[in-house]
């Protein structure tokens, strides 16, 4: 049977082996809220991995908005209804919609853990309602320092010490450096889930050509 005669459901079985589809079928076929969130996180990971391939491009212009807009634009190219700085209880960094479903992401450059906590609180107490159409959110963490694993472990410990109502956490099976946290949302009284996602942007090469270029830059 030729590919032209396959239905969308049949094509989905071969999606991983057909680069041209690039998750397109799965995005179309999402019907439930949970399906929407699962596919969205796979696509966000794809965007993050691509950004991490060239950290040298972000060393001289470490701006949250620039980094976040690039992620939003990539999601739009994938077909998502994504926006930046959207008015939802404030100016949310990334908002993704599908019918009545809404996912909100807050993005922060890792400066210290109190700064990340403020981002978490914006997502939790300002932007999200915690209702059934938006019971998940995300925290995007741009990390320019070394040892992302250590940063994420310390962030989880910091979050645990905040005594959030019914707090729990678990690691992401699709990405070892990411983790999920759950707690009772203040506004809805329901369980709210946040995916904490690092973007590795540390760049400090130690090879000879890199060291030479660094010296020449200092002289210039």
């Amino acid at each position: 049977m030729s590919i032209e005669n396959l239905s969308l459901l049949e094509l989905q079985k071969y999606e991983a082996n057909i680069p041209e589809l690039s998750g397109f079928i799965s995005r179309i076929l999402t019907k439930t809220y949970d399906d929407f969130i699962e596919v969205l996180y796979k696509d966000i990971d794809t965007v993050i991995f691509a950004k991490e391939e060239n950290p040298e491009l972000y060393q001289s212009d470490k701006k949250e908005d620039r980094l976040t807009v690039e992620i939003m634009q990539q999601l739009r190219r994938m077909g998502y209804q994504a926006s930046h700085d959207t008015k939802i209880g404030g100016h949310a960094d990334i908002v993704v919609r599908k019918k009545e479903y809404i996912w909100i992401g807050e993005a922060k450059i890792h400066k210290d853990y109190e700064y990340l906590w403020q981002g978490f609180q914006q997502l939790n107490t300002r932007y999200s309602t915690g209702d059934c159409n938006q019971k998940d959110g995300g925290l995007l963490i741009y990390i320019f320092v070394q040892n992302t694993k250590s940063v994420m472990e310390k962030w989880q410990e910091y979050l645990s010490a905040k005594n959030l109502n019914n707090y729990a956490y678990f690691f992401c099976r699709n990405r070892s450096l990411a983790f999920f946290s759950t707690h009772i949302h203040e506004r809805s009284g329901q369980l709210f889930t946040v995916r904490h996602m690092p973007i590795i942007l540390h760049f400090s090469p130690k090879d000879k050509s890199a060291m030479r270029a660094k010296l020449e830059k200092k002289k210039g």
Side-chain angles (χ1 to χ4, degrees):
M1 182 182 292
S2 67
I3 191 171
E4 290 83 0
N5 297 323
L6 295 176
S7 68
L8 287 177
L9 281 172
E10 290 170 328
L11 274 173
Q12 191 178 29
K13 298 175 184 177
Y14 303 100
E15 190 172 39
N17 300 317
I18 305 175
E20 291 78 9
L21 292 177
S22 189
F24 178 70
I25 305 300
S26 292
R27 289 179 214 121
I28 291 177
L29 292 178
T30 54
K31 294 181 179 179
T32 68
Y33 175 86
D34 289 339
D35 287 344
F36 163 63
I37 294 298
E38 182 179 357
V39 173
L40 174 62
Y41 282 149
K42 287 181 181 178
D43 288 329
I44 288 176
D45 283 347
T46 297
V47 174
I48 288 174
F49 295 153
K51 185 176 288 292
E52 289 178 337
E53 289 178 7
N54 292 288
E56 73 279 6
L57 301 178
Y58 303 103
Q59 301 308 304
S60 61
D61 187 17
K62 299 176 182 179
K63 294 181 180 178
E64 285 173 355
D65 279 348
R66 177 200 169 190
L67 292 160
T68 305
V69 165
E70 287 180 359
I71 291 175
M72 181 273 294
Q73 289 172 336
Q74 289 301 317
L75 291 174
R76 278 188 181 177
R77 291 188 183 99
M78 290 177 170
Y80 285 102
Q81 186 183 344
S83 59
H84 168 66
D85 206 28
T86 304
K87 181 72 170 65
I88 298 184
H91 295 279
D93 284 335
I94 299 181
V95 175
V96 180
R97 297 176 183 268
K98 183 179 177 67
K99 297 181 180 179
E100 72 273 22
Y101 305 144
I102 300 175
W103 178 86
I104 300 172
E106 177 65 12
K108 293 292 182 187
I109 291 176
H110 170 58
K111 298 176 182 177
D112 55 54
Y113 298 102
E114 176 60 26
Y115 187 65
L116 296 184
W117 169 247
Q118 292 305 314
F120 180 85
Q121 288 289 68
Q122 284 177 290
L123 175 66
N124 178 40
T125 64
R126 179 184 291 272
Y127 304 140
S128 63
T129 66
D131 208 338
C132 61
N133 69 321
Q134 47 171 298
K135 55 190 179 70
D136 289 73
L139 187 65
L140 295 158
I141 306 172
Y142 305 116
I143 300 177
F144 286 90
V145 298
Q146 62 185 0
N147 201 339
T148 292
K149 183 175 182 291
S150 176
V151 170
M152 296 303 291
E153 288 174 347
K154 289 178 182 177
W155 167 233
Q156 192 286 311
E157 291 170 1
Y158 188 92
L159 203 57
S160 294
K162 289 297 184 178
N163 296 317
L164 291 161
N165 189 1
N166 205 27
Y167 176 81
Y169 77 95
F170 55 97
F171 294 105
C172 177
R173 68 176 184 272
N174 293 322
R175 188 178 177 212
S176 59
L177 287 170
F179 71 90
F180 291 92
S181 67
T182 59
H183 68 282
I184 299 299
H185 197 283
E186 290 184 5
R187 291 164 68 182
S188 70
Q190 300 186 119
L191 205 62
F192 187 65
T193 303
V194 178
R195 190 180 193 232
H196 304 256
M197 298 165 280
I199 297 92
I200 305 172
L201 296 175
H202 176 69
F203 186 72
S204 182
K206 302 297 191 295
D207 57 280
K208 288 182 179 180
S209 59
M211 300 302 287
R212 187 163 51 248
K214 192 178 291 187
L215 285 171
E216 290 175 355
K217 188 176 181 180
K218 284 184 178 180
K219 289 178 181 178

